């Protein structure tokens, strides 16, 4: 009896001990999972807040960029007009055009045209709508103001809206050469967004977009114009105030010299230029100064604390202007509700933890064996043994999902085997070889191709049509290169990089590459004729070829490799292809490639040694035509 009791006691203690261990381990794991889940949820909430804040920031940025693009487009359109002038008959036509542009662009306060002899023609919205003409004389300027209806008024035909209601004229000392927008455009020799300046007519701070333009007069002399559009900082502030309308944040625009030019946290527009030294804007600007990021070209996202409150901050650089857009939003207003939801979720999770522990013990026997079987399947997948994998059916949903995931992984790897040499990889892994970057010196001939004006073509075509044309083009080119021993290294947008002499040595690589280029042009003429009949854009291919020594082999990171070639010869071939655009040619080859041809193909030496972008030494280039005449 004593023995049986002892045995029963021992068995009972053993069961209790094992149950305790299982419960303790399960509880520990569950608590760790809960803690990790809570931490991950908080991180997710933080990311959601950052993303939400960035969305609002991007909307403001999009409005600013749209305004800049619209203004630049208006000024560029005026500059491209052949009859723009500030005086004479052309001046009358220009005045009508400026007024029409002012009506169509309510963001602009004035549009100006100034000549290099001091004459100016302006369409002014504020403070008084008018056409303002300034004729510069030796001693003074004569200003004529033709007052108009407001360009924002609706109704009436175009002639009525342009009708003059009153005219005044007087002498003044107005000189465009003393105006910021004129000086900065002349100094930049190209389009420029000016620093803030004081508009002479409205006495308000403004910024302008100026563009110099050249004209040849009737006497054959080149005259220079400056076309400018000005917008007051008051109008600019309306663009950034959209942030506050979208949520609980504010935004501001800072100039290149760190002055506030527009902000949404003040109802009044900026009247005086100053540094953001107070409030939240001052605190975050001080943070950027301390980090050395104020006025930088890099976008930033960070958080700061100001007066006991945490703010999410996003900055971005506005291209072409050197402005910096800054937005900030209180974290508690943006994420307070999400934080409370996460806390309630944590409490509910802990409440159901005991039930989950009990269920996990009951289901353990339904899990262990199927998991072991799935582990064997996973090992076979790891060895890339993907054929005839056994399926493991189970009533446990998670195991069924795992089984489906392994099956999908196997099917994906089966498809992936078409892109990589699986047999070689399996052999290297089985033999214990490390798949690591390696390379060796080789003498190769490299070719770069590019489709002329592809950006313009792509913007005017439907995506599916463009993809179809590119596929036909790449299929044609790849087939030609393969016939002549070339290896396509990579496709780069509309361009192709091709190697002759790598990975295997190739005799007469220069000649093969040049013949392939000529055949590509011939075949493209046929393909372009077909596209022309279908009403599609034609592709005009430019080619650059160079021969030299490179490092060729399996290159890349330790976990992502590809066969390619690097070196000065590759860079030179790319630059030679780019020289076609400057020289107006289709196929250019280097001196080294030319020497390898041995006179078998017709060429033309470019008389002036070409200066290739990014290279200090000039190169002798030849234009390739075709086979030499017998």
């Amino acid at each position: 009896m004593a023995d049986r009791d002892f045995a029963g006691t021992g068995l009972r203690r053993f069961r209790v001990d094992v149950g305790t261990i299982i419960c303790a381990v399960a509880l520990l794991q569950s608590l760790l999972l809960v803690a990790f889940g809570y931490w991950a949820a908080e991180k997710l909430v933080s990311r959601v807040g950052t993303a939400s804040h960035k969305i609002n920031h991007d909307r403001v940025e999009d409005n600013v960029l749209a305004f800049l693009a619209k203004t630049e487009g208006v000024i560029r359109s005026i500059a491209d007009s052949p009859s723009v002038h500030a005086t004479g008959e052309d001046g009358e036509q220009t005045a009508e055009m400026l007024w029409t542009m002012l009506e169509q662009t309510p963001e602009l306060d004035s549009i100006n045209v100034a000549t290099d002899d001091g004459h100016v023609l302006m369409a002014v919205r504020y403070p008084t709508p008018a056409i303002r003409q300034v004729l510069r004389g030796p001693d003074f300027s004569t200003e004529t103001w033709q007052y108009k209806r407001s360009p924002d008024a609706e109704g009436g035909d175009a002639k009525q809206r342009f009708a003059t209601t009153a005219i005044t004229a007087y002498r003044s000392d107005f000189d465009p050469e003393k105006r910021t927008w004129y000086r900065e455009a002349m100094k930049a020799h190209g389009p420029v967004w000016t620093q803030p300046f004081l508009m002479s007519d409205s006495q308000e701070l403004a910024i302008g977009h100026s563009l110099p333009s050249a004209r040849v007069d009737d006497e054959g002399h080149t005259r220079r114009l400056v076309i400018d559009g000005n917008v007051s900082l008051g109008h600019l502030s309306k663009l950034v105030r959209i942030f506050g309308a979208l949520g609980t944040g504010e935004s501001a625009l800072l100039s290149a010299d760190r002055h506030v030019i527009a902000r949404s946290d003040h109802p009044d527009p900026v009247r005086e230029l100053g540094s953001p030294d107070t409030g939240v804007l001052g605190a975050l600007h001080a943070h950027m100064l301390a980090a050395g990021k104020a006025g930088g070209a890099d976008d930033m996202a960070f958080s700061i604390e100001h007066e006991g409150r945490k703010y999410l901050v996003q900055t971005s650089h506005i291209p072409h202007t050197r402005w910096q857009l800054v937005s900030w939003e209180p974290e508690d207003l943006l994420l307070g509700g999400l934080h409370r939801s996460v806390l309630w979720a944590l409490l509910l999770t802990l409440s159901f933890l005991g039930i989950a522990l009990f269920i996990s013990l009951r289901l353990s026997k339904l899990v262990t064996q199927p998991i072991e079987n799935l582990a064997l399947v996973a090992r076979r997948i790891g060895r890339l043994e993907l054929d005839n994998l056994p399926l493991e059916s189970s009533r446990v949903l998670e195991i069924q999902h795992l089984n489906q995931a392994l099956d999908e992984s196997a099917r994906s790897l089966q498809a992936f085997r078409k892109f990589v040499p699986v047999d070689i990889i399996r052999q290297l892994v089985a033999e214990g070889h490390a798949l690591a970057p390696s390379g060796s010196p080789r003498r190769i001939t490299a070719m770069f191709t590019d489709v002329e004006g592809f950006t313009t073509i792509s913007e005017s075509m439907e995506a599916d049509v463009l993809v179809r044309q590119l596929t036909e083009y790449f299929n044609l080119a790849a087939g030609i290169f393969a016939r002549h021993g070339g290896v396509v290294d990579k496709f780069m947008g509309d361009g192709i990089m091709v190697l002759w002499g790598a990975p295997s040595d190739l005799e007469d690589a220069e000649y093969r590459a040049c013949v392939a280029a000529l055949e590509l042009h011939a075949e493209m003429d046929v393909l372009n004729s077909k596209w022309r009949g279908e009403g599609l854009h034609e592709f005009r291919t430019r080619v650059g070829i160079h021969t030299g020594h490179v490092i060729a082999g399996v290159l890349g990171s330790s976990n992502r490799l590809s066969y390619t070639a690097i070196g000065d010869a590759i860079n030179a071939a790319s630059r030679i292809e780019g020289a076609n655009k400057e020289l107006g040619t289709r196929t250019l080859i280097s001196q080294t490639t030319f020497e390898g041809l041995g006179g078998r193909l017709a060429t033309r030496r470019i008389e002036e040694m070409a200066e290739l972008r990014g290279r200090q030494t000039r190169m002798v280039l030849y234009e390739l035509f075709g086979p030499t005449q017998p």
Side-chain angles (χ1 to χ4, degrees):
M1 176 65 70
D3 292 341
R4 288 195 299 271
D5 292 341
F6 179 80
T9 304
L11 181 59
R12 186 167 54 253
R13 289 180 179 176
F14 174 76
R15 290 178 176 175
V16 171
D17 291 342
V18 170
T20 301
I21 293 173
I22 293 176
C23 290
V25 172
L27 180 61
L28 178 61
Q29 292 176 340
S30 300
L31 290 177
L32 288 176
L33 289 175
V34 170
F36 176 77
Y38 179 74
W39 173 83
E42 287 292 330
K43 294 288 290 185
L44 180 60
V45 168
S46 178
R47 290 182 180 180
V48 168
T50 302
S52 176
H53 176 70
K54 190 176 187 306
I55 289 173
N56 291 336
H57 175 89
D58 289 344
R59 290 179 182 175
V60 180
E61 183 178 6
D62 289 343
N63 275 270
V64 174
L65 292 176
F67 157 73
L68 296 178
K70 184 176 181 181
T71 301
E72 292 171 357
V74 168
I75 300 306
R76 186 167 56 252
S77 298
I78 297 173
D80 290 341
S81 177
S83 60
V84 172
H85 205 275
T87 60
E89 184 177 349
D90 287 342
E92 296 178 1
Q93 297 178 1
T94 301
E96 295 181 3
M97 178 174 61
L98 296 185
W99 189 257
T100 301
M101 289 297 186
L102 195 67
E103 287 183 326
Q104 300 300 321
T105 317
E107 298 87 355
L108 292 178
D109 288 297
S110 68
I111 305 176
N112 314 322
V113 174
T115 65
D116 54 5
D117 51 5
H119 303 319
V120 184
L121 186 64
M122 304 180 181
V124 181
R125 181 189 306 274
Y126 181 79
T128 303
I131 294 295
R132 178 185 182 188
Q133 186 179 50
V134 180
L135 300 179
R136 183 68 179 169
D139 301 320
F140 56 86
S141 296
T142 301
E143 292 197 29
T144 303
W145 288 68
Q146 300 180 29
Y147 297 101
K148 311 286 184 180
R149 292 174 56 190
S150 171
D152 302 320
E154 298 181 356
D157 56 27
K159 186 174 181 180
Q160 291 175 338
R161 294 196 302 270
F162 188 67
T164 300
T165 59
I167 299 178
T168 61
Y170 55 87
R171 293 182 179 182
S172 72
D173 58 353
F174 187 93
D175 184 357
E177 294 185 358
K178 297 180 181 179
R179 303 300 169 183
T180 300
W181 53 268
Y182 185 91
R183 292 198 311 268
E184 292 192 13
M186 285 298 190
K187 181 180 178 181
H189 301 290
V192 61
W193 280 95
T194 68
Q195 294 294 324
F197 61 89
L198 188 67
M199 289 194 293
S200 60
D201 47 358
S202 63
Q203 296 298 305
E204 282 199 17
L205 289 173
I207 50 96
H209 178 67
S210 300
L211 176 65
S213 178
R215 295 287 190 279
V216 178
D217 60 17
D218 296 337
E219 299 178 357
H221 300 299
T222 300
R223 313 294 297 184
R224 300 192 67 186
L225 301 175
V226 173
I227 295 87
D228 168 69
N230 295 331
V231 57
S232 68
L233 297 190
H235 273 155
L236 197 61
S237 296
K238 296 178 181 179
L239 294 174
V240 298
R241 287 198 181 99
I242 190 175
F243 195 99
L246 293 172
T248 56
E250 306 289 350
S251 58
L253 275 174
L254 306 181
S255 64
D257 52 2
R258 303 174 185 174
H259 288 150
V260 179
I261 59 177
R263 61 193 305 172
S264 65
D265 57 337
H266 285 277
D268 298 325
V270 176
R271 301 289 184 182
E272 296 181 357
L273 294 179
S275 299
D277 52 1
T278 59
V280 181
L281 181 58
L284 65 89
H285 188 255
H287 175 87
M288 290 190 293
L289 286 175
K293 298 294 186 179
D298 296 331
D299 295 350
M300 292 190 301
F302 58 92
S303 60
I304 63 168
E305 289 192 7
H306 178 69
E307 296 181 352
R309 200 173 193 182
K310 188 176 181 180
Y311 293 85
L312 299 178
V313 183
Q314 184 78 34
T315 73
S316 59
H317 178 73
I318 305 300
H320 311 304
T321 63
R322 298 182 297 167
W323 300 344
Q324 194 171 33
L325 177 64
V326 183
S327 62
W328 62 96
E329 195 163 4
E331 186 183 50
D332 56 341
L333 296 180
L334 185 65
L335 303 177
L338 287 176
H339 282 302
R340 287 189 293 271
S341 298
V342 170
L343 184 58
W344 275 109
L346 175 63
L347 295 176
L348 290 174
T349 302
L350 293 175
S351 300
F352 289 105
L353 180 58
I355 300 174
L357 289 174
F358 174 78
I359 295 176
S360 64
L361 290 175
R362 298 291 296 176
L363 295 177
S364 62
K365 292 183 180 181
L366 299 176
V367 173
T368 54
Q369 186 60 44
I371 287 181
E372 187 65 28
N373 295 335
L374 290 176
L376 296 176
V377 174
R379 291 191 185 98
R380 290 186 59 183
I381 293 176
R383 295 192 298 267
L384 298 179
E385 299 173 359
L386 306 175
D387 298 324
N388 300 320
L389 291 176
L391 296 178
E392 180 66 33
S393 60
S394 174
R395 295 181 180 179
V396 179
L397 186 60
E398 287 78 5
I399 294 179
Q400 186 64 28
H401 288 170
L402 179 58
N403 179 62
Q404 293 174 357
L406 289 174
D407 182 57
E408 292 173 359
S409 300
R411 285 188 281 109
S412 299
L413 286 173
Q414 285 177 331
F416 188 69
R417 286 194 300 185
K418 298 179 180 180
F419 299 90
V420 296
V422 174
D423 294 336
I424 297 176
I425 294 175
R426 185 185 293 131
Q427 181 179 355
L428 292 175
V429 173
E431 294 175 358
H433 291 284
L435 297 177
S438 62
S440 60
R442 304 187 73 91
R443 188 176 189 273
I444 60 99
T445 295
M447 173 194 290
F448 279 81
T449 74
D450 180 61
V451 176
E452 179 180 341
F454 182 77
T455 300
T456 303
I457 293 174
S458 63
E459 291 175 349
S460 61
M461 296 179 62
E462 296 291 336
D464 55 345
V465 178
L466 180 63
V467 170
R468 180 173 67 84
Q469 281 195 258
L470 274 177
T471 302
E472 289 187 60
Y473 168 65
F474 286 149
N475 287 339
L476 175 67
I480 293 173
F481 299 148
R483 287 199 299 271
H484 293 279
V487 176
V488 175
D489 182 274
K490 60 177 68 70
F491 295 97
M492 304 167 292
D494 60 306
I496 310 174
M497 174 181 169
V498 194
L499 305 178
W500 276 265
S504 301
D505 292 332
L506 186 66
E507 294 184 2
D508 213 5
E510 298 90 341
Y511 179 77
R512 290 171 180 262
C514 291
V515 171
L518 295 173
E519 185 174 330
L520 174 62
H521 290 312
E523 293 293 334
M524 281 305 299
D525 290 341
V526 177
L527 183 58
N528 281 329
S529 177
K530 169 179 170 289
W531 285 345
R532 190 163 51 249
E534 297 174 0
L536 301 176
H537 285 282
E538 301 179 21
F539 283 4
R540 177 182 170 86
T541 305
R542 297 183 295 216
V543 178
I545 304 174
H546 178 55
T547 302
H549 291 277
V550 299
I551 300 298
V554 179
L555 303 175
S557 64
S558 57
N559 58 1
R560 183 164 183 171
L561 305 171
S562 64
Y563 188 90
T564 188
I566 59 174
D568 182 69
I570 301 298
N571 296 332
S574 176
R575 300 297 188 267
I576 290 172
E577 183 278 319
N580 282 288
K581 182 177 181 181
E582 303 296 332
L583 299 176
T585 55
R586 295 179 68 183
T587 305
L588 290 174
I589 64 176
S590 66
Q591 175 76 32
T592 311
T593 304
F594 169 78
E595 293 171 355
L597 294 179
R600 287 172 288 177
L601 296 175
T603 59
R604 177 181 68 88
R605 179 188 173 99
I606 305 299
E607 293 301 327
E608 183 178 353
M609 294 181 67
E611 180 180 358
L612 302 183
R613 181 171 59 86
R615 296 178 63 87
Q616 297 181 352
T617 59
R618 294 175 177 265
M619 292 187 68
V620 177
L621 299 181
Y622 292 82
E623 184 178 7
L624 181 65
F625 291 113
T628 56
Q629 298 297 324

